[in-house]
Amino acid sequence: MAKPERRLPGKKKPNPLKTAGVSTVDWKDVTLLRKFISDRGKIRSRRVSGLTPQQQKQVATAIKNAREMALLPCPGPSKS
């Protein structure tokens, strides 16, 4: 019988909004929002970005508003 793998306690990822000193996310701040978008234009998940649930919701809403104003790219159709 194989031994179960142990998880080593890892460091918690630093919150990028807290380190940047941002209290509220604005859809006009495109340079900040680009950090939370993948190279294909998709919004990065919470576990990848390191945000709290409230901040993730603010960032997602701001990204969607910036896409509506044509400041950020929309994800294209996947080629299968």
Side-chain angles (χ1 to χ4, degrees), residues 5-62:
E5 291 183 322
R6 281 198 208 173
R7 280 194 166 186
L8 297 175
K11 269 190 168 179
K12 193 173 181 184
K13 191 168 188 165
N15 190 328
L17 291 181
K18 196 170 188 179
T19 56
V22 177
S23 57
T24 57
V25 182
D26 189 20
W27 62 269
K28 293 172 266 184
D29 193 0
V30 179
T31 55
L32 178 71
L33 294 178
R34 282 193 188 274
K35 295 177 185 176
F36 303 108
I37 297 180
S38 70
D39 57 339
R40 295 192 175 236
K42 295 183 178 182
I43 300 173
R44 295 192 190 272
S45 66
R46 250 191 76 225
R47 74 182 157 79
V48 174
S49 64
L51 298 173
T52 64
Q54 293 84 10
Q55 290 172 335
Q56 180 70 23
K57 189 156 177 90
Q58 282 183 353
V59 166
T61 305

Side-chain angles (χ1 to χ4, degrees), residues 63-79:
I63 288 172
K64 290 173 187 176
N65 287 339
R67 283 178 180 164
E68 198 66 32
M69 298 297 167
L71 298 175
L72 291 174
C74 294
S78 61
K79 295 179 182 178

